[in-house]
């Protein structure tokens, strides 16, 4: 069943082999609380994924350390055999402690194991796109060479287990280092209306034809809140989350969105943002949020 959504008429951008809709879906919210353990409502998680595909989304972001293993297994249960045009992007270099903690897993053996875990749990022979997530600092990009782990991933690509490679939680210097080792098709970093550290990197990647995929586009664990955002939303009879996504779609043509949700109503709401064309003056108002945030008060 196909659902008529505005994303069926929205722009696309090349991601590896495929041209994908600019509005995709992030699957992290499908695991249990704290991205750990099974979801509280398994059937609801399956329903979200089925609606994702029925709505025309053809880009899903995941990781085998969500759950761990849970999110990938739910994706497989809901969607395999996968639609031909679906691009599933996963990421490697972390594992979960028994208490749910996030632990770097950056060694050669751990990276190889992670690729095989993703293949098995997603039920695939080859992974479309694998992001190497830098864990030099777990929380934000930190300078340092990524050559050793990226070379491991490039070897797995040569062996045919991985089609395309991306980077996550990285600096501009690391992207350049990465591009000397293998082709980089996407960069996934923390970015949204209030978190604008990558403005310059996004422009550079756009010139290079590389997709930029912001994580936490809605603020992640701390949803975006701002009086300017609420004011624009009220005027446009939209929700603040829709405006936050519409702003990202206008920000740069190489931005691909992967808002996360465990709720079908939220999914529907988020996909409608593709139809929300913001004016230049609204963009200006929204740009002001970042300056307030830099001053320490993202309201
Ligand atoms: N590379 C990395 O290091 C990294 C890190 C974090 C995330 N990611 C990826 O990025 C994706 C997106 O990030 P994210 O899911 O953490 O954060 P997000 O998309 O910024 O926000 C998700 C949060 O917003 C809520 N939400 C979603 N739509 C909403 C709506 N219309 N109205 C109100 N609340 C709404 C969700 O709750 P409900 O479930 O209730 O809708 C959830 O709590 C993830 O799914 C994951 O694939 C990557």
């Amino acid at each position: 069943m196909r659902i008529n959504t505005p994303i069926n008429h929205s722009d696309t951008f090349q991601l590896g082999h495929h041209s994908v809709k600019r509005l995709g879906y992030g699957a992290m919210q499908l695991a249990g609380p704290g991205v750990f353990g099974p979801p509280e409502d398994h059937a609801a998680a399956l329903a979200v994924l089925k609606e994702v595909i029925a709505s025309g989304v053809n880009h899903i972001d995941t990781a085998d350390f969500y759950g761990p293993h849970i999110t990938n297994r739910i994706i497989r249960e809901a969607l395999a055999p996968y639609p031909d045009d679906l691009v599933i992007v996963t990421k490697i270099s972390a594992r979960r402690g028994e208490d749910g903690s996030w632990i770097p897993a950056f060694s050669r053996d751990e990276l190889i194991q992670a690729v095989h875990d993703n293949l098995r749990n997603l039920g695939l022979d080859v992974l479309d796109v694998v992001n190497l997530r830098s864990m030099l600092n777990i929380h934000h990009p930190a300078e340092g060479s990524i050559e050793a782990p990226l070379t491991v991933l490039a070897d797995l690509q040569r062996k045919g287990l991985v089609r395309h490679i991306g980077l996550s939680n990285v600096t501009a210097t690391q992207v350049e280092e990465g591009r000397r080792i293998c082709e980089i098709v996407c960069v996934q970093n923390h970015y949204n209306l209030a978190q604008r550290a990558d403005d310059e990197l996004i422009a550079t990647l756009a010139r290079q034809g590389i997709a930029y995929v912001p994580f936490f586009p809605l603020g992640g664990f701390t949803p975006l809140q701002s009086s300017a955002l609420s004011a624009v939303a009220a005027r446009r009879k939209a929700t603040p989350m829709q405006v936050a996504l519409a702003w990202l779609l206008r920000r740069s043509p190489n931005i691909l969105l992967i808002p996360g949700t465990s709720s079908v109503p939220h999914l529907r709401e988020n996909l409608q943002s593709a139809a929300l064309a913001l004016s230049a003056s609204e963009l200006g108002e929204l740009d002001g949020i970042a300056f307030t945030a830099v001053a320490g008060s993202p309201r």
Side-chain angles (χ1 to χ4, degrees):
M1 186 192 64
R2 269 283 188 228
I3 302 170
N4 196 14
T5 60
I7 76 155
N8 290 314
H9 312 287
S10 78
D11 296 344
T12 57
F13 193 83
Q14 197 68 25
L15 182 59
H17 275 69
H18 294 281
S19 168
V20 296
K21 311 268 174 55
R22 291 189 58 214
L23 249 163
Y25 171 71
M28 189 174 93
Q29 306 296 336
L30 295 182
V35 200
F36 198 58
E40 278 159 9
D41 186 341
H42 185 85
L46 295 176
V48 169
L49 284 163
K50 287 183 187 302
E51 177 119 356
V52 162
I53 296 301
S55 304
V57 168
N58 58 5
H59 169 204
I60 294 179
D61 187 81
T62 185
D64 205 57
F65 45 79
Y66 296 161
H69 316 302
I70 304 276
T71 300
N72 278 350
R73 288 176 188 162
I74 293 174
I75 290 173
R76 178 182 186 171
E77 181 184 348
L79 304 181
Y82 300 107
D84 289 343
D85 69 337
L86 176 65
V87 176
I88 299 179
V89 179
T90 190
K91 63 189 82 65
I92 58 172
S93 75
R95 63 185 175 83
R96 307 299 293 277
E98 281 179 13
D99 57 353
S101 53
W102 304 78
I103 302 169
F106 230 29
S107 72
R108 179 185 167 77
D109 287 352
E110 285 170 314
L111 295 171
I112 293 171
Q113 181 67 47
V115 164
H116 285 284
D117 287 347
N118 274 284
L119 286 168
R120 189 180 61 258
N121 288 317
L122 286 168
L124 291 167
D125 297 326
V126 51
L127 299 170
D128 287 325
V129 183
V130 176
N131 284 328
L132 179 77
R133 190 192 195 278
S134 170
M135 297 296 273
L136 294 171
N137 181 302
I138 292 183
H139 303 290
H140 54 76
E143 294 297 358
S145 177
I146 54 166
E147 181 180 353
L150 189 56
T151 302
V152 174
L153 187 51
D155 283 346
L156 295 170
Q157 184 182 38
R158 276 188 286 276
K159 287 187 175 128
L161 299 181
V162 172
R163 273 196 197 98
H164 298 282
I165 292 176
L167 296 172
S168 178
N169 196 37
V170 286
T171 66
T173 309
Q174 287 162 337
V175 175
E176 280 318 299
E177 182 189 29
R179 294 181 73 222
R180 290 192 291 274
I181 296 167
C182 60
E183 188 191 2
I184 301 297
V185 299
C186 56
V187 171
Q188 186 176 116
N189 277 1
H190 184 182
Y191 184 84
N192 57 42
L193 261 172
Q195 172 64 44
R196 306 262 314 251
D198 275 352
D199 276 347
E200 211 178 300
L201 176 61
I202 291 169
T204 304
L205 296 175
R207 285 192 296 276
Q208 295 165 337
I210 298 174
Y212 182 87
V213 187
F215 72 76
F216 294 160
L218 302 173
F221 297 109
T222 317
L224 289 168
Q225 273 187 306
S226 136
S227 50
L229 181 59
S230 300
V232 173
R235 255 182 278 132
R236 294 301 302 265
K237 297 194 172 22
T239 68
M241 296 308 175
Q242 287 174 323
V243 174
L245 295 175
W247 175 84
L248 281 166
L249 287 174
R250 276 295 298 274
R251 212 5 231 107
S252 182
N254 63 327
I255 290 186
L256 296 177
L257 299 187
I258 50 163
T261 182
S262 55
S263 135
V264 168
H266 282 170
L267 172 69
R268 289 178 186 159
E269 182 182 318
N270 296 344
L271 295 179
Q272 287 298 323
S273 62
L276 185 61
L278 297 170
S279 69
S281 73
E282 286 166 336
L283 290 175
E285 268 179 80
L286 295 166
D287 279 338
I289 292 172
F291 298 114
T292 324
V294 168
S297 160
R299 289 275 163 272

